[in-house]
Amino acid sequence: MSSVPTVKLNNGYEIPVLGLGTYKALGGEVEKAVKDAIDANYRHIDTAYLYGNEAEVGNAVRAKIAEKIIKREDMFIVTKLWSNFHEPDKVEYACRLSLKNLNLDYIDLYLIHWPFSFPHISDNDSWPVDGNGVAIVNDDIDILDTYKAMERLVDQGLVRSIGLSNFNSEQITHILNGCKIKPVINQVEFSPSLNQRKLIEFCKERGIAVSAFTPLGRPNPQLKTPAFIYDDSVIEIGRKYNKTSAQVVLRYLIQCGSIPIPKSQTKERIQQNIDVFDFELNSDEMSVLDQFNTGHRIALLPALKHSKYYPFNIEF
Ligand SMILES: NC(=O)c1ccc[n+]([C@@H]2O[C@H](COP(=O)([O-])OP(=O)(O)OC[C@H]3O[C@@H](n4cnc5c(N)ncnc54)[C@H](OP(=O)(O)O)[C@@H]3O)[C@@H](O)[C@H]2O)c1
């Protein structure tokens, strides 16, 4: 098993170019999935306070440290600040909750999960709604103030790197215009159907890496969606390299300059998804994948459209 290549972030830390996603992995299954992933040579794990599985991720990492399979510094653990903790004086509190859940001394990368803010009603009231079921947002919080509170976590040694998730180009510019510590990453939805070339270029010019969530478009074998997983043209490319279409897609996303974080809780697929470093797609094959760019977004969150911080009202 060879190790996964890394990307150097703008603060000098290195992140493995592929990680394990953990969203909606079933409770009780995440710990096993992370252990299987570490055995398969994953060193980058993506979780979030919202997912409710930080404790399982931490258990798996600590178990593998105890087994002497890894050292803490070999791992790159990403977690995220949820939107009900955006008040600047709640940020350190939220970070300490995540650290306590993970039972680790520091977080490698702490992201602002989404740019919109909710009021903090309680720690676990993640989606406050009014009597009509409409999401209650708090647009009075300037997301730059939230970010500045994140910077203090770096100064305190609680987190090594900070970054953004689901931020559009204007929101990134707003952060860059007022920050002391540059965000290292913007994590966004990125798959062949949502080709984020413009956002990647924008981020690259500013020294920000892009990690790709929902990279496989959440395959549905019954409906045979998304097309890029089930289409003969992609299966054919895979046949040439003895790979599945999911592996072809992950390779494509890496060659586009992103850091995919496919989720799986199935040992065989966990192993399959990291086995993408022994082949390279040529430009014709990259163009085949480019054809699937319909702009279809899975994480659209239309219920948040009324927030001034909703990120999808501009092109990128
Ligand atoms: N920042 C954000 O706002 C945000 C939003 C969404 C997601 N994320 C992160 O990104 C991660 C990945 O995104 P996602 O979970 O939405 O979608 P995804 O990784 O595109 O798809 C996950 C689905 O693909 C299946 N799968 C995995 N590998 C496969 C393979 N080789 N062949 C066929 N099917 C395969 C999984 O099934 P099995 O598990 O049964 O194998 C699971 O049902 C999340 O887990 C989370 O960590 C972040």
Side-chain angles (χ1 to χ4, degrees), residues 6-65:
T6 57
V7 170
K8 199 186 264 283
L9 299 170
N10 64 32
N11 59 2
Y13 286 110
E14 309 240 352
I15 182 171
V17 75
L18 184 136
L20 180 78
T22 61
Y23 178 55
K24 290 223 169 139
L26 297 175
E29 307 254 332
V30 179
E31 186 171 332
K32 183 177 177 309
V34 174
K35 286 177 176 168
D36 286 343
I38 292 171
D39 288 340
N41 235 5
Y42 285 72
R43 296 293 180 262
H44 165 188
I45 312 291
D46 183 82
T47 179
Y49 180 82
L50 181 76
Y51 304 165
N53 60 24
E54 290 171 314
E56 286 191 59
V57 170
N59 285 345
V61 170
R62 279 179 295 101
K64 290 292 165 188
I65 292 171

Side-chain angles (χ1 to χ4, degrees), residues 189 191 193-194 213-214 216-218 226 295-302:
E189 182 173 347
S191 72
S193 2
L194 187 66
F213 77 68
T214 317
L216 301 175
R218 298 187 189 155
H296 174 68
R297 196 183 279 283
I298 292 177
L300 189 59
L301 300 196

Side-chain angles (χ1 to χ4, degrees), residues 36 51 71 114 120 178 197 218 270 301:
D36 286 343
Y51 304 165
K71 300 194 203 75
W114 284 87
H120 181 269
R197 284 249 161 91
R218 298 187 189 155
I270 288 171
L301 300 196

Side-chain angles (χ1 to χ4, degrees), residues 127-314:
W127 291 91
V129 289
D130 67 17
N132 298 316
V134 177
I136 308 169
V137 295
N138 182 354
D139 280 350
D140 293 336
I141 299 175
D142 182 338
I143 199 65
L144 177 59
D145 291 333
T146 307
Y147 188 82
K148 286 180 175 170
M150 303 265 286
E151 293 180 326
R152 292 194 281 279
L153 306 176
V154 179
D155 297 338
Q156 288 172 272
L158 300 178
V159 314
R160 287 191 164 176
S161 304
I162 50 176
L164 312 171
S165 177
N166 297 297
F167 276 52
N168 66 31
S169 56
E170 288 174 6
Q171 293 166 336
I172 295 168
T173 301
H174 180 56
I175 298 291
L176 289 176
N177 285 343
C179 69
K180 276 195 321 204
I181 303 174
K182 245 195 201 185
V184 295
I185 274 192
N186 187 27
Q187 183 182 111
V188 296
E189 182 173 347
F190 180 17
S191 72
S193 2
L194 187 66
N195 188 319
Q196 296 274 22
R197 284 249 161 91
K198 285 188 182 163
L199 188 62
I200 289 204
E201 200 48 43
F202 178 89
C203 288
K204 208 168 124 196
E205 282 165 6
R206 288 155 184 80
I208 300 170
V210 171
S211 63
F213 77 68
T214 317
L216 301 175
R218 298 187 189 155
N220 184 324
Q222 277 79 44
L223 297 176
K224 295 219 178 302
T225 56
F228 59 77
I229 291 287
Y230 297 98
D231 195 90
D232 286 344
S233 61
V234 184
I235 294 171
E236 194 55 40
I237 294 172
R239 212 169 273 139
K240 173 176 162 192
Y241 297 107
N242 200 18
K243 299 288 174 189
T244 65
S245 47
Q247 289 171 309
V248 171
V249 166
L250 293 171
R251 184 72 220 171
Y252 166 80
L253 295 172
I254 292 167
Q255 288 184 217
C256 286
S258 77
I259 302 166
I261 46 168
K263 173 261 171 186
S264 178
Q265 59 197 67
T266 314
K267 189 172 182 175
E268 183 266 330
R269 290 200 279 258
I270 288 171
Q271 291 169 340
Q272 182 191 124
N273 292 344
I274 201 172
D275 184 17
V276 294
F277 297 102
D278 58 355
F279 72 112
E280 188 158 338
L281 301 174
N282 63 35
S283 57
D284 288 347
E285 291 159 348
M286 292 294 285
S287 304
V288 170
L289 272 297
D290 284 341
Q291 304 304 316
F292 291 92
N293 185 27
T294 56
H296 174 68
R297 196 183 279 283
I298 292 177
L300 189 59
L301 300 196
L304 274 310
K305 270 192 176 155
H306 58 294
S307 168
K308 76 174 183 196
Y309 286 101
Y310 183 73
F312 307 134
N313 288 329
I314 60 170

